[in-house]
Short mmCIF file of all heavy atoms in Angstrom, two decimals:
data_model
loop_
_atom_site.label_atom_id
_atom_site.label_comp_id
_atom_site.label_asym_id
_atom_site.label_seq_id
_atom_site.Cartn_x
_atom_site.Cartn_y
_atom_site.Cartn_z
N LYS W 63 71.72 -27.21 121.58
CA LYS W 63 71.69 -27.37 120.11
C LYS W 63 70.95 -28.64 119.67
O LYS W 63 70.92 -28.93 118.50
CB LYS W 63 73.11 -27.39 119.59
CG LYS W 63 73.77 -26.06 119.86
CD LYS W 63 74.96 -25.83 119.06
CE LYS W 63 75.46 -24.49 119.47
NZ LYS W 63 76.37 -23.78 119.03
N THR W 64 70.41 -29.34 120.61
CA THR W 64 69.72 -30.56 120.24
C THR W 64 68.22 -30.42 120.55
O THR W 64 67.81 -29.50 121.25
CB THR W 64 70.26 -31.77 121.01
OG1 THR W 64 69.94 -31.62 122.38
CG2 THR W 64 71.76 -31.91 120.86
N HIS W 65 67.48 -31.35 120.06
CA HIS W 65 66.04 -31.34 120.30
C HIS W 65 65.64 -32.43 121.32
O HIS W 65 64.46 -32.81 121.36
CB HIS W 65 65.29 -31.56 118.96
CG HIS W 65 65.41 -30.42 118.04
ND1 HIS W 65 64.68 -29.28 118.15
CD2 HIS W 65 66.25 -30.24 117.00
CE1 HIS W 65 65.00 -28.43 117.20
NE2 HIS W 65 65.98 -29.01 116.48
N PHE W 66 66.58 -32.85 122.16
CA PHE W 66 66.29 -33.89 123.12
C PHE W 66 65.21 -33.43 124.08
O PHE W 66 64.25 -34.17 124.36
CB PHE W 66 67.55 -34.29 123.91
CG PHE W 66 67.30 -35.31 124.96
CD1 PHE W 66 67.10 -36.64 124.58
CD2 PHE W 66 67.23 -34.98 126.27
CE1 PHE W 66 66.85 -37.60 125.55
CE2 PHE W 66 66.96 -35.91 127.24
CZ PHE W 66 66.80 -37.24 126.89
N GLY W 67 65.32 -32.23 124.63
CA GLY W 67 64.30 -31.71 125.52
C GLY W 67 62.93 -31.58 124.88
O GLY W 67 61.93 -31.85 125.50
N VAL W 68 62.93 -31.20 123.62
CA VAL W 68 61.68 -31.08 122.87
C VAL W 68 61.00 -32.46 122.77
O VAL W 68 59.82 -32.61 123.09
CB VAL W 68 61.91 -30.51 121.45
CG1 VAL W 68 60.63 -30.53 120.65
CG2 VAL W 68 62.49 -29.12 121.51
N MET W 69 61.76 -33.44 122.35
CA MET W 69 61.17 -34.77 122.15
C MET W 69 60.80 -35.42 123.49
O MET W 69 59.76 -36.09 123.59
CB MET W 69 62.14 -35.68 121.38
CG MET W 69 62.27 -35.29 119.94
SD MET W 69 60.72 -35.07 119.06
CE MET W 69 60.02 -36.69 119.16
N LEU W 70 61.58 -35.19 124.53
CA LEU W 70 61.29 -35.77 125.83
C LEU W 70 59.96 -35.22 126.34
O LEU W 70 59.06 -35.99 126.75
CB LEU W 70 62.41 -35.47 126.81
CG LEU W 70 62.23 -36.03 128.21
CD1 LEU W 70 62.29 -37.53 128.17
CD2 LEU W 70 63.28 -35.46 129.14
N THR W 71 59.76 -33.93 126.31
CA THR W 71 58.54 -33.32 126.81
C THR W 71 57.36 -33.64 125.87
O THR W 71 56.22 -33.79 126.35
CB THR W 71 58.68 -31.82 127.02
OG1 THR W 71 59.17 -31.21 125.85
CG2 THR W 71 59.62 -31.53 128.20
N TYR W 72 57.60 -33.71 124.57
CA TYR W 72 56.54 -34.03 123.62
C TYR W 72 56.04 -35.46 123.86
O TYR W 72 54.79 -35.68 123.91
CB TYR W 72 57.04 -33.87 122.21
CG TYR W 72 56.02 -34.20 121.16
CD1 TYR W 72 55.02 -33.26 120.84
CD2 TYR W 72 56.00 -35.41 120.50
CE1 TYR W 72 54.05 -33.55 119.89
CE2 TYR W 72 55.02 -35.70 119.57
CZ TYR W 72 54.05 -34.77 119.25
OH TYR W 72 53.08 -35.08 118.35
N LEU W 73 56.94 -36.42 123.97
CA LEU W 73 56.54 -37.81 124.20
C LEU W 73 55.82 -37.94 125.58
O LEU W 73 54.83 -38.69 125.68
CB LEU W 73 57.72 -38.73 124.12
CG LEU W 73 58.29 -38.88 122.70
CD1 LEU W 73 59.59 -39.69 122.75
CD2 LEU W 73 57.29 -39.55 121.78
N LEU W 74 56.33 -37.25 126.57
CA LEU W 74 55.69 -37.28 127.87
C LEU W 74 54.25 -36.72 127.76
O LEU W 74 53.29 -37.27 128.30
CB LEU W 74 56.47 -36.47 128.89
CG LEU W 74 55.85 -36.34 130.29
CD1 LEU W 74 55.79 -37.72 130.97
CD2 LEU W 74 56.69 -35.39 131.12
N ALA W 75 54.08 -35.60 127.03
CA ALA W 75 52.77 -35.01 126.86
C ALA W 75 51.81 -35.96 126.15
O ALA W 75 50.67 -36.15 126.60
CB ALA W 75 52.90 -33.71 126.05
N GLU W 76 52.26 -36.57 125.07
CA GLU W 76 51.41 -37.51 124.33
C GLU W 76 51.01 -38.67 125.23
O GLU W 76 49.84 -39.09 125.26
CB GLU W 76 52.15 -38.03 123.09
CG GLU W 76 52.33 -36.96 122.04
CD GLU W 76 51.04 -36.49 121.41
OE1 GLU W 76 50.09 -37.27 121.30
OE2 GLU W 76 51.00 -35.33 121.04
#
Side-chain angles (χ1 to χ4, degrees):
K63 296 196 181 187
T64 68
H65 292 279
F66 178 76
V68 175
M69 290 310 297
L70 181 67
T71 53
Y72 180 79
L73 291 172
L74 177 65
E76 292 293 328

